[in-house]
């Protein structure tokens, strides 16, 4: 790949064009260039700050647009979590999707969830070496997207005991809010 074909260089050039500035690097003082996922739909792009101009967001289409930095950064507070648990004797799968944008997370629940994600160091937890899986054990998948960061951790009972131990409090919180794998029994 040629340097001029790199997405960051294309984004910088688009922002310079939009700002009406010369593309000579000696004449330009770039304050920052950061990769972002801009909205819930996942539009990827770069936030470009050039000294003396408003910041620009340059999408993957190469189009630059002025952005209000406060509104833009507010979108970075978005929290989305997807949880899946499958296996066991029943062999069924249960899923749970939560977001602070669609009303599935109350303010209190969002605060608890953010605390758990930080406490288990979700984005930095190292994946353990798999061991032997437990027959009829459960497998778990947790995806957390906070602003522009996103990570999925997959773990299975027995084979990923170390990882399950690390993220155990988060799993317990999510499991308590997920639908039950077992049918409800009603006795008259």
């Amino acid at each position: 790949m040629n340097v001029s074909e790199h997405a960051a260089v294309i984004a910088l050039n688009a922002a310079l064009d939009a700002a009406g500035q010369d593309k000579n690097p000696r004449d330009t003082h770039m304050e920052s260039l950061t990769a972002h996922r801009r909205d819930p739909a996942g539009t990827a792009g770069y936030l470009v700050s050039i000294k003396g101009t408003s910041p620009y967001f340059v999408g993957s289409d190469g189009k630059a647009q002025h952005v209000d930095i406060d509104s833009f950064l507010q979108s970075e507070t978005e929290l989305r979590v997807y949880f899946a648990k499958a296996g066991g004797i029943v062999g069924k799968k249960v899923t749970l999707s939560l977001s602070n944008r669609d009303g599935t997370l109350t303010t209190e629940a969002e605060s608890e969830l953010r605390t758990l994600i930080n406490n288990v160091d979700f984005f930095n937890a190292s994946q353990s070496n798999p061991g032997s899986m437990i027959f009829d054990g459960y497998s778990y998948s947790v995806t957390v997207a906070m602003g522009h960061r996103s990570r999925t951790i997959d773990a299975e009972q027995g084979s990923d005991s170390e990882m399950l131990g690390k993220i155990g409090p988060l799993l317990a919180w999510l499991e308590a809010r997920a639908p039950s794998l077992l049918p409800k029994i009603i006795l008259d």
Side-chain angles (χ1 to χ4, degrees):
M1 173 190 286
N2 183 326
V3 172
S4 64
E5 296 171 352
H6 191 281
V9 174
I10 292 170
L12 178 58
N13 283 331
L16 289 170
D17 284 345
Q21 293 199 9
D22 185 14
K23 293 181 186 173
N24 184 342
R26 293 184 183 138
D27 298 335
T28 303
H29 179 79
M30 184 173 65
E31 293 178 338
S32 67
L33 174 72
T34 54
H36 287 271
R37 184 168 45 214
R38 169 138 183 185
D39 58 28
T43 304
Y46 289 89
L47 181 64
V48 181
S49 295
I50 304 165
K51 189 171 186 165
T53 69
S54 301
Y56 290 88
F57 178 78
V58 182
S60 56
D61 59 2
K63 294 181 182 173
Q65 58 184 345
H66 277 283
V67 292
D68 172 49
I69 196 68
D70 293 330
S71 297
F72 184 88
L73 293 176
Q74 182 178 355
S75 71
E76 294 294 294
T77 63
E78 180 180 13
L79 173 62
R80 290 174 287 137
V81 177
Y82 174 78
F83 168 75
K85 177 182 177 181
I89 295 170
V90 177
K92 293 195 175 188
K93 181 177 183 178
V94 64
T95 61
L96 175 69
S97 292
L98 301 170
S99 172
N100 64 351
R101 300 290 177 176
D102 66 6
T104 55
L105 270 177
T106 64
T107 304
E108 182 181 329
E110 179 184 352
S111 177
E112 290 174 21
L113 190 51
R114 285 182 185 276
T115 299
L116 282 166
I117 291 166
N118 289 330
N119 287 349
V120 302
D121 198 18
F122 188 85
F123 290 102
N124 298 312
S126 58
Q127 195 77 35
S128 58
N129 294 329
S132 298
M133 188 176 148
I134 295 175
F135 184 70
D136 284 335
Y138 290 107
S139 62
Y140 299 89
S141 181
V142 180
T143 300
V144 175
M146 290 176 82
H148 64 280
R149 297 181 300 166
S150 180
R151 180 172 186 206
T152 298
I153 294 178
D154 295 313
E156 295 184 2
Q157 275 184 324
S159 66
D160 296 311
S161 298
E162 186 179 335
M163 178 56 75
L164 289 173
K166 288 177 189 174
I167 65 169
L170 176 60
L171 289 176
W173 191 93
L174 292 167
E175 219 169 342
R177 285 150 183 83
S180 175
L181 280 172
L182 301 174
K184 293 186 181 184
I185 299 172
I186 301 172
L187 301 175
D188 284 334

